[in-house]
Amino acid sequence: MAEVKTYEVRTYGCQMNVHDSERLSGLLEDAGYVRAPEGTGEGEADVVVFNTCAVRENADNRLYGNLGRLAPMKARRPGMQIAVGGCLAQKDRDTIVKKAPWVDVVFGTHNIGKLPVLLERARVQEEAQVEIAESLEAFPSTLPTRRESAYAAWVSISVGCNNTCTFCIVPALRGKEKDRRPGEILAEVEALVAEGVSEITLLGQNVNAYGSDMGDREAFSKLLRACGAIEGLERVRFTSPHPRDFTDDVIAAMAETPNVMPQLHMPLQSGSDTVLKAMRRSYRQERYLGIIEKVRAAIPHAAITTDIIVGFPGETEEDFEQTLHVVREARFAQAFTFQYSKRPGTPAAEMDDQIPKEVVQARYERLVALQEEISWEENKKQVGRTLELMVAEGEGRKDDATHRLSGRGADNRLVHFTKPDEPVRPGDVVTVEVTYAAPHHLLAEGPVLGVRRTRAGDAWEKRTAAEAAKPAGVLLGLPKVGVPAPLPAATTGCGSD
């Protein structure tokens, strides 16, 4: 009999990293580890894995701060191991072990499947293992995956990015775009649906460029339509597209495929043509607003969200006003707004005319205030509408106190609703009437109009029961070591468009 070894994965960054962490968890569990229970203190897991992001300027400070706090804990627990992977590991490589010699394993974005064998090698050899592959060894979808949700799943359709945005280092760390074959993707989706999943999100760093690796410009719209033919798949979403590759056939596929949701995340970054050129974004304001207009004409109730960077080097007050103009015209349901920060290794970090912090902060506050006003106005239009919500898990932080549950509408808006008398589970579908709107959520304070129990809810219930029944503390036999045998289709993740 062997004592169970526990693990913890800490994830930073985009959806791609979140999905990669599902794979890291799957790999560790396939090798015999178990996830550290809720409430486990810092440094108490036997293996702590950092899945890092290199997008923000202070990403390395954050990592080394976390590693520093673990150092004395590791010194007190000789068997404990620390691993660092992800984009920052791909970028910094040997630097991590030099700065934090108590780290046991450093692995990159292209070889996450090596984590279990590298941990074992570090244990046996009693020295740090640094292994960074320069190109993708195998599509990550072949790896085992511990999915965080029983009813909704990420599905990677490509890895890497062929863009050269001057503010982004991700393509240098994730490599050139590599597409999965449509048959592999659809086989994975069908397998997930058979397990009870009813919502999937197609992932790619530039998701709608899918097909460039295969020479098919309409491959993405064909994939959306093919997802529409999968029985039992109720909701299809995708992120993140790039305006350059967003073509009319994709809009038509969204409008004509019932299970493709009326929701679009379309990164803007800036409304100024001058700044877009400096960012090396291959579209201009007119093209961007033209896409928004076409989407709204084809899908009137679509909720459109975006990303915006404030204070890019050289941005003038006039440039910033152009961004505010696009925000007013596009009327985004929500905007993820960022103050520009230098990404070491990017062309923008070396540009002249870096904007003073106080100017960036003032512009940022003006943008946030405008978007909050628009988000609230757009949400108020939802009051009185009857919506179908997929009940979500962990989306409403105050649900217990307010005796409510939470769910997502087809357009991905978050709705908190009155708990019905009959039991409902995450993955089930409820029908409600919206009674109140706030900038970032809606309320349905009246009685629930209908409840539809689903296979996704059954899957959640089955998983919850299985988790509760798991024995703790002792594992019969020894953990498996090494890279597990490939499983049929799984997935990737990252997105910095």
Side-chain angles (χ1 to χ4, degrees), residues 12-20 23 52-55 87 109 156 158-161 168 170-171 173-174 203-207 239-240 492-497:
Y12 305 95
C14 64
Q15 298 97 329
M16 292 275 196
N17 267 19
V18 171
H19 190 29
D20 279 352
R23 291 200 187 88
T52 63
C53 173
V55 168
C87 287
T109 59
S156 241
S158 63
V159 293
C161 181
C168 184
V170 172
L173 304 178
R174 291 272 181 178
L203 276 183
Q205 282 174 279
N206 183 4
V207 71
T239 195
S240 286
T492 9
C494 205
S496 222
D497 279 311

Side-chain angles (χ1 to χ4, degrees), residues 154-228:
W154 309 105
V155 175
S156 241
I157 68 172
S158 63
V159 293
C161 181
N162 293 337
N163 293 319
T164 57
C165 301
T166 55
F167 57 81
C168 184
I169 197 171
V170 172
L173 304 178
R174 291 272 181 178
K176 292 292 184 183
E177 181 177 325
K178 184 173 178 58
D179 296 333
R180 288 176 73 188
R181 296 290 146 182
E184 293 178 13
I185 297 168
L186 294 171
E188 179 181 354
V189 174
E190 289 171 350
L192 288 166
V193 171
E195 293 170 5
V197 168
S198 60
E199 176 178 311
I200 61 140
T201 301
L202 303 175
L203 276 183
Q205 282 174 279
N206 183 4
V207 71
N208 59 317
Y210 176 74
S212 62
D213 194 31
M214 301 179 288
D216 184 353
R217 292 177 60 84
E218 295 189 354
F220 186 61
S221 62
K222 292 174 184 175
L223 182 62
L224 290 177
R225 292 183 186 275
C227 286

Side-chain angles (χ1 to χ4, degrees), residues 302-334:
I304 301 174
T305 57
T306 196
D307 297 331
I308 300 173
I309 296 172
V310 178
F312 188 81
E315 180 188 75
T316 64
E317 180 62 25
E318 182 181 352
D319 292 326
F320 178 65
E321 286 291 344
Q322 288 299 306
T323 296
L324 297 181
H325 169 70
V326 174
V327 169
R328 293 187 186 100
E329 290 293 310
R331 299 197 64 79
F332 300 114
Q334 189 176 1

Side-chain angles (χ1 to χ4, degrees), residues 14 27 40 106 119-120 128 156 169 181 240 307 356 361 367-368 372 423 457 467 479:
C14 64
L27 283 160
T40 300
V106 178
L119 286 168
E120 179 65 6
S156 241
I169 197 171
R181 296 290 146 182
S240 286
D307 297 331
Q361 181 67 32
L367 173 62
V368 168
E372 288 275 304
E467 292 286 342

Side-chain angles (χ1 to χ4, degrees), residues 3-202:
E3 186 180 348
V4 170
K5 287 190 175 182
T6 59
Y7 76 89
E8 173 192 0
V9 179
R10 301 187 190 180
T11 309
Y12 305 95
C14 64
Q15 298 97 329
M16 292 275 196
N17 267 19
V18 171
H19 190 29
D20 279 352
S21 288
E22 290 186 326
R23 291 200 187 88
L24 293 170
S25 296
L27 283 160
L28 290 169
E29 294 193 5
D30 204 56
Y33 297 87
V34 298
R35 176 176 287 192
E38 290 269 344
T40 300
E42 185 173 36
E44 290 181 10
D46 296 303
V47 173
V48 179
V49 183
F50 292 90
N51 189 11
T52 63
C53 173
V55 168
R56 310 306 288 167
E57 182 181 18
N58 64 351
D60 54 349
N61 294 334
R62 188 177 186 185
L63 171 65
Y64 293 120
N66 285 324
L67 292 176
R69 285 200 303 276
L70 287 181
M73 302 173 193
K74 187 172 188 292
R76 292 193 298 268
R77 298 184 59 216
M80 180 183 175
Q81 290 186 295
I82 299 172
V84 179
C87 287
L88 193 63
Q90 188 78 20
K91 182 173 77 75
D92 283 3
R93 305 177 180 231
D94 294 319
T95 305
I96 293 172
V97 173
K98 289 176 183 174
K99 289 187 175 181
W102 53 92
V103 168
D104 299 276
V105 171
V106 178
F107 61 101
T109 59
H110 300 309
N111 63 333
I112 64 175
K114 291 288 185 68
L115 176 59
V117 76
L118 291 172
L119 286 168
E120 179 65 6
R121 194 186 299 162
R123 185 186 67 79
V124 171
Q125 297 182 4
E126 297 184 345
E127 63 180 13
Q129 302 296 309
V130 179
E131 190 168 307
I132 306 290
E134 297 301 331
S135 59
L136 197 66
E137 294 182 345
F139 207 95
S141 55
T142 60
L143 300 175
T145 305
R146 185 197 194 280
R147 295 187 182 271
E148 294 300 317
S149 170
Y151 56 90
W154 309 105
V155 175
S156 241
I157 68 172
S158 63
V159 293
C161 181
N162 293 337
N163 293 319
T164 57
C165 301
T166 55
F167 57 81
C168 184
I169 197 171
V170 172
L173 304 178
R174 291 272 181 178
K176 292 292 184 183
E177 181 177 325
K178 184 173 178 58
D179 296 333
R180 288 176 73 188
R181 296 290 146 182
E184 293 178 13
I185 297 168
L186 294 171
E188 179 181 354
V189 174
E190 289 171 350
L192 288 166
V193 171
E195 293 170 5
V197 168
S198 60
E199 176 178 311
I200 61 140
T201 301
L202 303 175

Side-chain angles (χ1 to χ4, degrees), residues 242-490:
H242 191 294
R244 181 194 67 189
D245 303 298
F246 205 79
T247 48
D248 291 350
D249 62 297
V250 174
I251 297 173
M254 292 178 66
E256 295 166 10
T257 310
N259 65 355
V260 175
M261 294 294 95
Q263 172 228 341
L264 175 64
H265 184 72
M266 180 64 73
L268 169 65
Q269 308 305 7
S270 174
S272 162
D273 288 353
T274 302
V275 174
L276 288 171
K277 184 178 180 181
M279 288 177 166
R280 219 177 283 157
R281 301 285 286 179
S282 48
Y283 56 89
R284 299 297 177 258
Q285 181 188 118
E286 183 178 2
R287 157 80 172 147
Y288 185 92
L289 287 174
I291 292 171
I292 302 300
E293 184 178 354
K294 286 180 179 179
V295 171
R296 293 209 189 282
I299 315 167
H301 287 304
I304 301 174
T305 57
T306 196
D307 297 331
I308 300 173
I309 296 172
V310 178
F312 188 81
E315 180 188 75
T316 64
E317 180 62 25
E318 182 181 352
D319 292 326
F320 178 65
E321 286 291 344
Q322 288 299 306
T323 296
L324 297 181
H325 169 70
V326 174
V327 169
R328 293 187 186 100
E329 290 293 310
R331 299 197 64 79
F332 300 114
Q334 189 176 1
F336 299 92
T337 52
F338 306 93
Q339 298 185 39
Y340 171 77
S341 63
K342 289 183 180 180
R343 277 78 159 178
T346 62
E350 307 302 322
M351 288 181 176
D352 297 330
D353 299 325
Q354 300 284 330
I355 310 300
K357 171 66 178 173
E358 61 272 16
V359 175
V360 177
Q361 181 67 32
R363 290 176 183 170
Y364 175 79
E365 290 173 3
R366 287 164 59 196
L367 173 62
V368 168
L370 174 62
Q371 182 56 52
E372 288 275 304
E373 178 184 328
I374 292 171
S375 294
W376 200 359
E377 289 172 357
E378 291 301 305
N379 274 358
K380 286 176 182 176
K381 294 177 183 178
Q382 307 299 311
V383 174
R385 287 188 66 196
T386 299
L387 303 179
E388 271 201 343
L389 310 178
M390 183 177 290
V391 181
E393 184 174 30
E395 293 265 25
R397 289 174 297 173
K398 299 179 181 178
D399 282 352
D400 287 341
T402 58
H403 304 291
R404 294 182 180 128
L405 297 175
S406 299
R408 293 276 176 180
D411 62 8
N412 210 36
R413 282 185 166 94
L414 178 63
V415 185
H416 306 300
F417 61 94
T418 302
K419 187 181 293 186
D421 293 334
E422 61 185 293
V424 293
R425 308 155 301 178
D428 286 339
V429 174
V430 298
T431 305
V432 301
E433 182 180 328
V434 178
T435 58
Y436 175 81
H440 301 292
H441 69 268
L442 303 171
L443 291 182
E445 298 163 298
V448 168
L449 304 178
V451 174
R452 175 164 61 87
R453 291 173 71 84
T454 65
R455 290 171 58 254
D458 294 343
W460 178 88
E461 191 170 24
K462 182 179 178 182
R463 175 191 278 200
T464 304
E467 292 286 342
K470 276 185 179 177
V474 173
L475 177 73
L476 292 177
L478 294 172
K480 289 184 288 181
V481 173
V483 182
L487 297 181

